[in-house]
Amino acid sequence: GESVGLHLPTLSVQEGDNSIINCAYSNSASDYFIWYKQESGKGPQFIIDIRSNMDKRQGQRVTVLLNKTVKHLSLQIAATQPGDSAVYFCAEISLYNQGGKLIFGQGTELSVKP
Amino acid sequence: EAGVAQSPRYKIIEKRQSVAFWCNPISGHATLYWYQQILGQGPKLLIQFQNNGVVDDSQLPKDRFSAERLKGVDSTLKIQPAKLEDSAVYLCASSLGPGQGTYEQYFGPGTRLTVT
């Protein structure tokens, strides 16, 4: 029969509110942790990354937090807009092992209500 | 700067048929990647090229999938014969390559394959 994909976790927020998307990673040796945004019919687009020796990094309207103790990564989006609606993936990369292979986690679908 | 180009954008085939996808990376990018993205999941690396050589093809089902990048620029990914479980989006990405100060990969729009 036809294969069915996994059901993505979803997050629904009101326009103007802040959004927090969470991710658990597996490899303590990863050098960078990255957030990607994927809109329908498009490839993943880089949003922000954080090096493994940092705890927090801020961009424009986005902040990434890294908690290495519990292997947890989060993406905070301030003043969420309808254009932020997409699937968000976390990814990790080890530059010197595995040839710099990106390992993606399960995505979260963000819906912004106007 | 032109992005990563892929064609076709959509393809529907019957199981046991063959299909090929084409990718043109960003000019000057030495490293090219093919990913498979099954509905509801994150992309999974199938094969990575550095110029025209294979760096990693550990997750490529070599009994049915093949890929080449003969001149170190464009690449093709082929499936022969296709199975129902090959239904997915096939993404191509490129990056400058090791030692260039950035690992960032740029993704194309993908080819959505449906196997019936």
Side-chain angles (χ1 to χ4, degrees), chain A residues 20-32:
Chain A
I20 300 177
I21 300 171
N22 297 303
C23 174
Y25 65 89
S26 57
N27 185 3
S28 300
S30 293
D31 298 297
Y32 283 90

PDB file of all heavy atoms in Angstrom, chain A residues 20-32:
ATOM      1  N   ILE A  20       8.144  29.541  20.144  1.00  0.00           N
ATOM      2  CA  ILE A  20       9.302  28.774  20.588  1.00  0.00           C
ATOM      3  C   ILE A  20       9.191  27.365  20.025  1.00  0.00           C
ATOM      4  O   ILE A  20       8.200  26.670  20.258  1.00  0.00           O
ATOM      5  CB  ILE A  20       9.394  28.706  22.125  1.00  0.00           C
ATOM      6  CG1 ILE A  20       9.512  30.108  22.726  1.00  0.00           C
ATOM      7  CG2 ILE A  20      10.598  27.848  22.542  1.00  0.00           C
ATOM      8  CD1 ILE A  20       9.524  30.130  24.242  1.00  0.00           C
ATOM      9  N   ILE A  21      10.182  26.986  19.258  1.00  0.00           N
ATOM     10  CA  ILE A  21      10.224  25.650  18.656  1.00  0.00           C
ATOM     11  C   ILE A  21      11.399  24.904  19.269  1.00  0.00           C
ATOM     12  O   ILE A  21      12.506  25.440  19.356  1.00  0.00           O
ATOM     13  CB  ILE A  21      10.379  25.752  17.129  1.00  0.00           C
ATOM     14  CG1 ILE A  21       9.196  26.531  16.543  1.00  0.00           C
ATOM     15  CG2 ILE A  21      10.470  24.362  16.504  1.00  0.00           C
ATOM     16  CD1 ILE A  21       9.356  26.870  15.070  1.00  0.00           C
ATOM     17  N   ASN A  22      11.157  23.677  19.671  1.00  0.00           N
ATOM     18  CA  ASN A  22      12.163  22.901  20.391  1.00  0.00           C
ATOM     19  C   ASN A  22      12.661  21.712  19.584  1.00  0.00           C
ATOM     20  O   ASN A  22      11.975  21.197  18.711  1.00  0.00           O
ATOM     21  CB  ASN A  22      11.573  22.400  21.708  1.00  0.00           C
ATOM     22  CG  ASN A  22      11.200  23.530  22.628  1.00  0.00           C
ATOM     23  OD1 ASN A  22      12.029  24.360  22.985  1.00  0.00           O
ATOM     24  ND2 ASN A  22       9.927  23.594  23.007  1.00  0.00           N
ATOM     25  N   CYS A  23      13.858  21.276  19.946  1.00  0.00           N
ATOM     26  CA  CYS A  23      14.477  20.157  19.239  1.00  0.00           C
ATOM     27  C   CYS A  23      15.446  19.464  20.188  1.00  0.00           C
ATOM     28  O   CYS A  23      16.147  20.135  20.955  1.00  0.00           O
ATOM     29  CB  CYS A  23      15.211  20.694  18.007  1.00  0.00           C
ATOM     30  SG  CYS A  23      16.166  19.486  17.107  1.00  0.00           S
ATOM     31  N   ALA A  24      15.466  18.138  20.132  1.00  0.00           N
ATOM     32  CA  ALA A  24      16.449  17.361  20.879  1.00  0.00           C
ATOM     33  C   ALA A  24      17.458  16.801  19.886  1.00  0.00           C
ATOM     34  O   ALA A  24      17.074  16.320  18.826  1.00  0.00           O
ATOM     35  CB  ALA A  24      15.769  16.226  21.635  1.00  0.00           C
ATOM     36  N   TYR A  25      18.742  16.908  20.201  1.00  0.00           N
ATOM     37  CA  TYR A  25      19.751  16.375  19.294  1.00  0.00           C
ATOM     38  C   TYR A  25      20.454  15.201  19.943  1.00  0.00           C
ATOM     39  O   TYR A  25      20.294  14.940  21.135  1.00  0.00           O
ATOM     40  CB  TYR A  25      20.741  17.457  18.867  1.00  0.00           C
ATOM     41  CG  TYR A  25      21.595  18.018  19.978  1.00  0.00           C
ATOM     42  CD1 TYR A  25      22.809  17.461  20.328  1.00  0.00           C
ATOM     43  CD2 TYR A  25      21.181  19.163  20.666  1.00  0.00           C
ATOM     44  CE1 TYR A  25      23.590  17.986  21.333  1.00  0.00           C
ATOM     45  CE2 TYR A  25      21.951  19.701  21.679  1.00  0.00           C
ATOM     46  CZ  TYR A  25      23.160  19.119  22.014  1.00  0.00           C
ATOM     47  OH  TYR A  25      23.931  19.644  23.015  1.00  0.00           O
ATOM     48  N   SER A  26      21.249  14.483  19.149  1.00  0.00           N
ATOM     49  CA  SER A  26      21.801  13.227  19.647  1.00  0.00           C
ATOM     50  C   SER A  26      23.322  13.216  19.777  1.00  0.00           C
ATOM     51  O   SER A  26      23.865  12.531  20.647  1.00  0.00           O
ATOM     52  CB  SER A  26      21.370  12.078  18.733  1.00  0.00           C
ATOM     53  OG  SER A  26      21.773  12.338  17.401  1.00  0.00           O
ATOM     54  N   ASN A  27      24.018  13.991  18.935  1.00  0.00           N
ATOM     55  CA  ASN A  27      25.470  13.854  18.869  1.00  0.00           C
ATOM     56  C   ASN A  27      26.170  14.974  19.636  1.00  0.00           C
ATOM     57  O   ASN A  27      26.170  16.124  19.202  1.00  0.00           O
ATOM     58  CB  ASN A  27      25.916  13.853  17.404  1.00  0.00           C
ATOM     59  CG  ASN A  27      27.402  13.582  17.255  1.00  0.00           C
ATOM     60  OD1 ASN A  27      28.108  13.343  18.235  1.00  0.00           O
ATOM     61  ND2 ASN A  27      27.887  13.641  16.028  1.00  0.00           N
ATOM     62  N   SER A  28      26.761  14.634  20.763  1.00  0.00           N
ATOM     63  CA  SER A  28      27.447  15.631  21.578  1.00  0.00           C
ATOM     64  C   SER A  28      28.671  16.203  20.881  1.00  0.00           C
ATOM     65  O   SER A  28      29.157  17.273  21.245  1.00  0.00           O
ATOM     66  CB  SER A  28      27.885  15.013  22.907  1.00  0.00           C
ATOM     67  OG  SER A  28      26.776  14.536  23.620  1.00  0.00           O
ATOM     68  N   ALA A  29      29.176  15.503  19.863  1.00  0.00           N
ATOM     69  CA  ALA A  29      30.384  15.944  19.167  1.00  0.00           C
ATOM     70  C   ALA A  29      30.107  16.877  18.000  1.00  0.00           C
ATOM     71  O   ALA A  29      31.034  17.300  17.316  1.00  0.00           O
ATOM     72  CB  ALA A  29      31.154  14.724  18.663  1.00  0.00           C
ATOM     73  N   SER A  30      28.843  17.209  17.763  1.00  0.00           N
ATOM     74  CA  SER A  30      28.535  18.099  16.652  1.00  0.00           C
ATOM     75  C   SER A  30      29.145  19.480  16.873  1.00  0.00           C
ATOM     76  O   SER A  30      29.190  19.975  17.990  1.00  0.00           O
ATOM     77  CB  SER A  30      27.016  18.220  16.479  1.00  0.00           C
ATOM     78  OG  SER A  30      26.472  16.990  16.051  1.00  0.00           O
ATOM     79  N   ASP A  31      29.595  20.096  15.781  1.00  0.00           N
ATOM     80  CA  ASP A  31      30.263  21.390  15.868  1.00  0.00           C
ATOM     81  C   ASP A  31      29.295  22.572  15.784  1.00  0.00           C
ATOM     82  O   ASP A  31      29.517  23.610  16.384  1.00  0.00           O
ATOM     83  CB  ASP A  31      31.295  21.514  14.741  1.00  0.00           C
ATOM     84  CG  ASP A  31      32.372  20.470  14.845  1.00  0.00           C
ATOM     85  OD1 ASP A  31      33.103  20.497  15.858  1.00  0.00           O
ATOM     86  OD2 ASP A  31      32.479  19.630  13.939  1.00  0.00           O
ATOM     87  N   TYR A  32      28.265  22.398  14.978  1.00  0.00           N
ATOM     88  CA  TYR A  32      27.277  23.450  14.812  1.00  0.00           C
ATOM     89  C   TYR A  32      25.879  22.832  14.891  1.00  0.00           C
ATOM     90  O   TYR A  32      25.668  21.689  14.483  1.00  0.00           O
ATOM     91  CB  TYR A  32      27.413  24.133  13.444  1.00  0.00           C
ATOM     92  CG  TYR A  32      28.550  25.116  13.341  1.00  0.00           C
ATOM     93  CD1 TYR A  32      29.809  24.699  12.920  1.00  0.00           C
ATOM     94  CD2 TYR A  32      28.357  26.467  13.647  1.00  0.00           C
ATOM     95  CE1 TYR A  32      30.853  25.593  12.824  1.00  0.00           C
ATOM     96  CE2 TYR A  32      29.403  27.366  13.544  1.00  0.00           C
ATOM     97  CZ  TYR A  32      30.645  26.927  13.134  1.00  0.00           C
ATOM     98  OH  TYR A  32      31.675  27.825  13.037  1.00  0.00           O
TER      99      TYR A  32
END
